[in-house]
PDB file of all heavy atoms in Angstrom:
ATOM      1  N   TYR A 568     134.436  98.267  84.348  1.00  0.00           N
ATOM      2  CA  TYR A 568     133.359  97.834  85.245  1.00  0.00           C
ATOM      3  C   TYR A 568     133.353  96.314  85.476  1.00  0.00           C
ATOM      4  O   TYR A 568     133.313  95.852  86.621  1.00  0.00           O
ATOM      5  CB  TYR A 568     132.009  98.287  84.677  1.00  0.00           C
ATOM      6  CG  TYR A 568     130.859  98.070  85.624  1.00  0.00           C
ATOM      7  CD1 TYR A 568     130.546  99.019  86.581  1.00  0.00           C
ATOM      8  CD2 TYR A 568     130.082  96.923  85.561  1.00  0.00           C
ATOM      9  CE1 TYR A 568     129.496  98.827  87.457  1.00  0.00           C
ATOM     10  CE2 TYR A 568     129.029  96.719  86.431  1.00  0.00           C
ATOM     11  CZ  TYR A 568     128.734  97.681  87.366  1.00  0.00           C
ATOM     12  OH  TYR A 568     127.695  97.489  88.238  1.00  0.00           O
ATOM     13  N   GLY A 569     133.403  95.555  84.396  1.00  0.00           N
ATOM     14  CA  GLY A 569     133.335  94.101  84.515  1.00  0.00           C
ATOM     15  C   GLY A 569     134.508  93.547  85.307  1.00  0.00           C
ATOM     16  O   GLY A 569     134.340  92.648  86.140  1.00  0.00           O
ATOM     17  N   ARG A 570     135.692  94.102  85.074  1.00  0.00           N
ATOM     18  CA  ARG A 570     136.863  93.654  85.816  1.00  0.00           C
ATOM     19  C   ARG A 570     136.685  93.886  87.310  1.00  0.00           C
ATOM     20  O   ARG A 570     136.962  93.023  88.141  1.00  0.00           O
ATOM     21  CB  ARG A 570     138.114  94.402  85.326  1.00  0.00           C
ATOM     22  CG  ARG A 570     139.406  93.913  85.958  1.00  0.00           C
ATOM     23  CD  ARG A 570     140.567  94.849  85.682  1.00  0.00           C
ATOM     24  NE  ARG A 570     140.413  96.157  86.311  1.00  0.00           N
ATOM     25  CZ  ARG A 570     140.585  96.388  87.618  1.00  0.00           C
ATOM     26  NH1 ARG A 570     140.903  95.388  88.416  1.00  0.00           N
ATOM     27  NH2 ARG A 570     140.403  97.594  88.114  1.00  0.00           N
ATOM     28  N   ARG A 571     136.155  95.069  87.669  1.00  0.00           N
ATOM     29  CA  ARG A 571     135.955  95.382  89.088  1.00  0.00           C
ATOM     30  C   ARG A 571     134.913  94.471  89.721  1.00  0.00           C
ATOM     31  O   ARG A 571     135.095  93.977  90.827  1.00  0.00           O
ATOM     32  CB  ARG A 571     135.518  96.840  89.242  1.00  0.00           C
ATOM     33  CG  ARG A 571     136.684  97.808  89.273  1.00  0.00           C
ATOM     34  CD  ARG A 571     136.191  99.255  89.303  1.00  0.00           C
ATOM     35  NE  ARG A 571     135.133  99.473  90.268  1.00  0.00           N
ATOM     36  CZ  ARG A 571     134.042 100.213  90.041  1.00  0.00           C
ATOM     37  NH1 ARG A 571     133.869 100.807  88.886  1.00  0.00           N
ATOM     38  NH2 ARG A 571     133.130 100.355  90.965  1.00  0.00           N
ATOM     39  N   MET A 572     133.818  94.229  89.004  1.00  0.00           N
ATOM     40  CA  MET A 572     132.751  93.403  89.560  1.00  0.00           C
ATOM     41  C   MET A 572     133.203  91.955  89.751  1.00  0.00           C
ATOM     42  O   MET A 572     132.797  91.285  90.680  1.00  0.00           O
ATOM     43  CB  MET A 572     131.513  93.426  88.656  1.00  0.00           C
ATOM     44  CG  MET A 572     130.824  94.764  88.606  1.00  0.00           C
ATOM     45  SD  MET A 572     130.366  95.350  90.240  1.00  0.00           S
ATOM     46  CE  MET A 572     131.307  96.861  90.350  1.00  0.00           C
ATOM     47  N   ASN A 573     134.033  91.481  88.838  1.00  0.00           N
ATOM     48  CA  ASN A 573     134.506  90.104  88.927  1.00  0.00           C
ATOM     49  C   ASN A 573     135.778  89.980  89.751  1.00  0.00           C
ATOM     50  O   ASN A 573     136.341  88.906  89.880  1.00  0.00           O
ATOM     51  CB  ASN A 573     134.758  89.549  87.522  1.00  0.00           C
ATOM     52  CG  ASN A 573     133.469  89.401  86.747  1.00  0.00           C
ATOM     53  OD1 ASN A 573     132.596  88.656  87.141  1.00  0.00           O
ATOM     54  ND2 ASN A 573     133.336  90.135  85.652  1.00  0.00           N
ATOM     55  N   ARG A 574     136.242  91.103  90.282  1.00  0.00           N
ATOM     56  CA  ARG A 574     137.472  91.157  91.077  1.00  0.00           C
ATOM     57  C   ARG A 574     138.637  90.493  90.348  1.00  0.00           C
ATOM     58  O   ARG A 574     139.379  89.698  90.931  1.00  0.00           O
ATOM     59  CB  ARG A 574     137.260  90.488  92.437  1.00  0.00           C
ATOM     60  CG  ARG A 574     136.167  91.165  93.243  1.00  0.00           C
ATOM     61  CD  ARG A 574     136.308  90.846  94.722  1.00  0.00           C
ATOM     62  NE  ARG A 574     135.288  91.533  95.476  1.00  0.00           N
ATOM     63  CZ  ARG A 574     134.028  91.091  95.603  1.00  0.00           C
ATOM     64  NH1 ARG A 574     133.664  89.966  95.041  1.00  0.00           N
ATOM     65  NH2 ARG A 574     133.146  91.774  96.295  1.00  0.00           N
ATOM     66  N   LEU A 575     138.776  90.822  89.066  1.00  0.00           N
ATOM     67  CA  LEU A 575     139.915  90.324  88.311  1.00  0.00           C
ATOM     68  C   LEU A 575     141.078  91.277  88.506  1.00  0.00           C
ATOM     69  O   LEU A 575     140.882  92.468  88.782  1.00  0.00           O
ATOM     70  CB  LEU A 575     139.583  90.247  86.821  1.00  0.00           C
ATOM     71  CG  LEU A 575     138.354  89.416  86.430  1.00  0.00           C
ATOM     72  CD1 LEU A 575     138.036  89.604  84.955  1.00  0.00           C
ATOM     73  CD2 LEU A 575     138.605  87.948  86.746  1.00  0.00           C
ATOM     74  N   ALA A 576     142.303  90.749  88.362  1.00  0.00           N
ATOM     75  CA  ALA A 576     143.479  91.617  88.456  1.00  0.00           C
ATOM     76  C   ALA A 576     143.508  92.532  87.237  1.00  0.00           C
ATOM     77  O   ALA A 576     142.961  92.206  86.188  1.00  0.00           O
ATOM     78  CB  ALA A 576     144.733  90.758  88.508  1.00  0.00           C
ATOM     79  N   GLU A 577     144.147  93.676  87.394  1.00  0.00           N
ATOM     80  CA  GLU A 577     144.260  94.580  86.254  1.00  0.00           C
ATOM     81  C   GLU A 577     145.133  93.939  85.188  1.00  0.00           C
ATOM     82  O   GLU A 577     146.139  93.310  85.490  1.00  0.00           O
ATOM     83  CB  GLU A 577     144.862  95.917  86.703  1.00  0.00           C
ATOM     84  CG  GLU A 577     143.790  96.984  86.857  1.00  0.00           C
ATOM     85  CD  GLU A 577     144.389  98.318  87.240  1.00  0.00           C
ATOM     86  OE1 GLU A 577     144.555  98.560  88.452  1.00  0.00           O
ATOM     87  OE2 GLU A 577     144.676  99.084  86.311  1.00  0.00           O
ATOM     88  N   ASP A 578     144.713  94.086  83.959  1.00  0.00           N
ATOM     89  CA  ASP A 578     145.444  93.482  82.852  1.00  0.00           C
ATOM     90  C   ASP A 578     145.688  94.569  81.805  1.00  0.00           C
ATOM     91  O   ASP A 578     144.912  94.751  80.880  1.00  0.00           O
ATOM     92  CB  ASP A 578     144.607  92.318  82.290  1.00  0.00           C
ATOM     93  CG  ASP A 578     145.369  91.522  81.246  1.00  0.00           C
ATOM     94  OD1 ASP A 578     146.377  92.046  80.728  1.00  0.00           O
ATOM     95  OD2 ASP A 578     144.957  90.389  80.946  1.00  0.00           O
ATOM     96  N   GLN A 579     146.792  95.286  82.013  1.00  0.00           N
ATOM     97  CA  GLN A 579     147.112  96.428  81.144  1.00  0.00           C
ATOM     98  C   GLN A 579     147.185  96.014  79.674  1.00  0.00           C
ATOM     99  O   GLN A 579     146.672  96.701  78.800  1.00  0.00           O
ATOM    100  CB  GLN A 579     148.463  97.047  81.546  1.00  0.00           C
ATOM    101  CG  GLN A 579     148.522  97.562  82.970  1.00  0.00           C
ATOM    102  CD  GLN A 579     147.773  98.870  83.129  1.00  0.00           C
ATOM    103  OE1 GLN A 579     147.338  99.458  82.155  1.00  0.00           O
ATOM    104  NE2 GLN A 579     147.612  99.313  84.369  1.00  0.00           N
ATOM    105  N   ALA A 580     147.825  94.862  79.440  1.00  0.00           N
ATOM    106  CA  ALA A 580     148.041  94.425  78.063  1.00  0.00           C
ATOM    107  C   ALA A 580     146.707  94.193  77.361  1.00  0.00           C
ATOM    108  O   ALA A 580     146.486  94.665  76.239  1.00  0.00           O
ATOM    109  CB  ALA A 580     148.884  93.150  78.053  1.00  0.00           C
ATOM    110  N   GLN A 581     145.822  93.477  78.060  1.00  0.00           N
ATOM    111  CA  GLN A 581     144.503  93.187  77.499  1.00  0.00           C
ATOM    112  C   GLN A 581     143.738  94.496  77.243  1.00  0.00           C
ATOM    113  O   GLN A 581     143.130  94.683  76.196  1.00  0.00           O
ATOM    114  CB  GLN A 581     143.734  92.284  78.477  1.00  0.00           C
ATOM    115  CG  GLN A 581     142.251  92.144  78.196  1.00  0.00           C
ATOM    116  CD  GLN A 581     141.964  91.097  77.126  1.00  0.00           C
ATOM    117  OE1 GLN A 581     142.852  90.697  76.382  1.00  0.00           O
ATOM    118  NE2 GLN A 581     140.718  90.661  77.057  1.00  0.00           N
ATOM    119  N   HIS A 582     143.817  95.385  78.216  1.00  0.00           N
ATOM    120  CA  HIS A 582     143.129  96.668  78.107  1.00  0.00           C
ATOM    121  C   HIS A 582     143.625  97.438  76.883  1.00  0.00           C
ATOM    122  O   HIS A 582     142.837  97.946  76.079  1.00  0.00           O
ATOM    123  CB  HIS A 582     143.357  97.482  79.386  1.00  0.00           C
ATOM    124  CG  HIS A 582     142.500  98.697  79.490  1.00  0.00           C
ATOM    125  ND1 HIS A 582     142.853  99.911  78.932  1.00  0.00           N
ATOM    126  CD2 HIS A 582     141.290  98.888  80.073  1.00  0.00           C
ATOM    127  CE1 HIS A 582     141.886 100.785  79.174  1.00  0.00           C
ATOM    128  NE2 HIS A 582     140.934 100.201  79.860  1.00  0.00           N
ATOM    129  N   ALA A 583     144.945  97.477  76.734  1.00  0.00           N
ATOM    130  CA  ALA A 583     145.532  98.199  75.607  1.00  0.00           C
ATOM    131  C   ALA A 583     145.130  97.553  74.282  1.00  0.00           C
ATOM    132  O   ALA A 583     144.806  98.236  73.307  1.00  0.00           O
ATOM    133  CB  ALA A 583     147.062  98.212  75.745  1.00  0.00           C
ATOM    134  N   ARG A 584     145.146  96.219  74.272  1.00  0.00           N
ATOM    135  CA  ARG A 584     144.814  95.509  73.036  1.00  0.00           C
ATOM    136  C   ARG A 584     143.371  95.779  72.604  1.00  0.00           C
ATOM    137  O   ARG A 584     143.097  96.035  71.444  1.00  0.00           O
ATOM    138  CB  ARG A 584     145.014  94.001  73.248  1.00  0.00           C
ATOM    139  CG  ARG A 584     145.774  93.312  72.114  1.00  0.00           C
ATOM    140  CD  ARG A 584     146.239  91.943  72.537  1.00  0.00           C
ATOM    141  NE  ARG A 584     145.198  91.243  73.287  1.00  0.00           N
ATOM    142  CZ  ARG A 584     144.180  90.612  72.704  1.00  0.00           C
ATOM    143  NH1 ARG A 584     144.059  90.592  71.403  1.00  0.00           N
ATOM    144  NH2 ARG A 584     143.270  90.005  73.442  1.00  0.00           N
ATOM    145  N   ILE A 585     142.458  95.723  73.577  1.00  0.00           N
ATOM    146  CA  ILE A 585     141.036  95.924  73.247  1.00  0.00           C
ATOM    147  C   ILE A 585     140.775  97.380  72.826  1.00  0.00           C
ATOM    148  O   ILE A 585     140.077  97.634  71.847  1.00  0.00           O
ATOM    149  CB  ILE A 585     140.136  95.560  74.449  1.00  0.00           C
ATOM    150  CG1 ILE A 585     140.365  94.111  74.866  1.00  0.00           C
ATOM    151  CG2 ILE A 585     138.670  95.835  74.131  1.00  0.00           C
ATOM    152  CD1 ILE A 585     139.594  93.081  74.124  1.00  0.00           C
TER     153      ILE A 585
END
Side-chain angles (χ1 to χ4, degrees):
Chain A
Y568 189 86
R570 185 192 66 75
R571 275 175 47 222
M572 292 304 119
N573 293 298
R574 300 201 178 81
L575 304 172
E577 258 183 272
D578 187 343
Q579 300 285 352
Q581 167 83 343
H582 191 274
R584 226 165 42 81
I585 302 275

